[in-house]
Amino acid sequence: MTSPTIGTALITGASTGLGAVYADRLAKRGHDLILVARNAAQLEPLAAKLRAETGVEVDVIAADLTNSDDVTRIEQRLIDDATITLFVNNAGMSLNGGTLENSAAEIETIIALNITAAARLAIAAGRAFGARGQGAIVNIASVLALAPETFEGVYSGSKAFLLNLSQALATTGREKGFHVQAVLPGATRTEIWERSGKDVDAFPAEMVMSAVDLVDAALIGLDRGEEVTIPPLADEGQWDAYHAARLAMGPGLSRRDVGERYRVTEAV
Ligand code: NAP
């Protein structure tokens, strides 16, 4: 039965891949669900299955998050529905080809989904949770936020954007009583690869995680109170060192004086 206190989880991109696994796992934890994706025909059977298996309430919303009016509808639900305690900001896409190979329309579409919608919805959830003094936001970024040299740059840049936004929002959340977690998956076996014309099996098998393992690990990270969760990273100390090195630069990043190496030398 649904716990009266655990609340509702709103998941974008819930029809396949990581979002569908989040739906399953969160229903089993007792969350009522609001599932969002374009393809309602794919969401409905998942919703029916989860209702039957777990007894939770499941709402389905068909929305194309590259469409501003559709994003507004989801923002409004996050703000108006006080039962929502968890927002999984998961919907995302990748592009075919390399950084120089996509059309203007394709670049605008990925930015609309991975950046504009993701930012608007995270901020709407932040406002709602801040006003209620509780809640958690899970932003699905990517390890490519840390490895831009290895992939198409608009996709990796969109995920770096989401990591950056998460870290900023986590700071605000600590003051206002809500939690923000960025999840950075490595290559994970989902439909995103086929949808963007890529073969995930081109990677060595030991580089590709299952969607179930990824989500289960990310939920353990959430339970641990992590603000950044990198499921495939075996040595947590590597992230801690990277994070500490970045923070150590902080006091030197805005100064009146230019660095010594940039000083204009007087012509003699
Ligand atoms: P997926 O299986 O392709 O799932 C993407 C989900 O987003 C689907 O539910 C899809 O449903 C929905 N979606 C796509 N375009 C949409 C739109 N315009 N409006 C609303 N919903 C839309 O991919 P996935 O791997 O699970 O991706 C989930 C997240 O993980 C993404 O943010 C992705 O960037 C990130 N990620 C994935 C990997 C990986 O290797 N799989 C690695 C790092 C990060 P509809 O088509 O029905 O709309």
Side-chain angles (χ1 to χ4, degrees):
M1 288 298 291
T2 309
S3 151
T5 55
I6 194 167
T8 302
L10 189 150
I11 306 167
T12 62
S15 59
T16 61
L18 305 187
V21 179
Y22 266 107
D24 177 77
R25 294 312 200 242
L26 294 175
K28 287 176 179 157
R29 285 183 172 213
H31 285 278
D32 292 327
L33 299 177
I34 303 167
L35 307 180
V36 180
R38 289 168 302 182
N39 188 344
Q42 212 164 356
L43 286 174
E44 289 292 358
L46 174 65
K49 176 173 167 286
L50 294 177
R51 283 182 206 113
E53 281 178 7
T54 66
V56 302
E57 290 184 22
V58 187
D59 268 9
V60 163
I61 306 179
D64 181 345
L65 298 177
T66 65
N67 174 303
S68 182
D69 291 343
D70 282 12
V71 178
T72 303
R73 280 196 291 130
I74 308 305
E75 285 174 323
Q76 212 52 54
R77 182 68 182 259
L78 286 164
I79 289 163
D80 292 344
D81 186 342
T83 71
I84 299 174
T85 55
L86 177 60
F87 171 46
V88 183
N89 198 10
N90 166 73
M93 62 176 289
S94 181
L95 292 174
N96 288 272
T99 307
L100 301 183
E101 288 160 8
N102 289 287
S103 68
E106 286 163 334
I107 292 166
E108 287 187 357
T109 300
I110 192 174
I111 288 174
L113 182 63
N114 290 17
I115 294 186
T116 308
R120 284 181 54 181
L121 296 175
I123 288 165
R127 286 194 183 121
F129 295 162
R132 292 173 210 145
Q134 65 155 1
I137 300 170
V138 176
N139 289 317
I140 307 297
S142 166
V143 292
L144 294 174
L146 309 177
E149 298 83 0
T150 63
F151 205 76
E152 187 278 311
V154 180
Y155 178 80
S156 64
S158 74
K159 295 303 178 179
F161 170 88
L162 195 54
L163 173 60
N164 189 304
L165 177 69
S166 272
Q167 291 173 302
L169 205 52
T171 307
T172 308
R174 267 179 260 133
E175 291 157 16
K176 295 195 177 286
F178 64 90
H179 181 75
V180 183
Q181 178 199 30
V183 175
L184 278 58
T188 309
R189 191 175 300 282
T190 70
E191 288 185 13
I192 201 169
W193 294 94
E194 208 181 320
R195 287 181 195 237
S196 55
K198 298 181 189 77
D199 179 10
V200 73
D201 291 318
F203 290 103
E206 61 273 16
M207 282 183 68
V208 182
M209 193 172 285
S210 77
V212 163
D213 285 351
L214 185 285
V215 173
D216 284 340
L219 286 171
I220 290 172
L222 185 64
D223 294 340
R224 292 177 82 201
E226 292 179 358
E227 292 181 353
V228 177
T229 296
I230 311 176
L233 189 68
D235 180 358
E236 188 178 13
Q238 286 186 312
W239 165 260
D240 293 340
Y242 174 83
H243 187 57
R246 186 177 65 75
L247 293 180
M249 277 194 297
L253 289 178
S254 186
R255 297 167 63 243
R256 181 196 55 209
D257 299 326
V258 300
E260 174 80 35
R261 66 200 173 285
Y262 302 122
R263 294 222 174 117
V264 177
T265 47
E266 294 289 329
V268 188

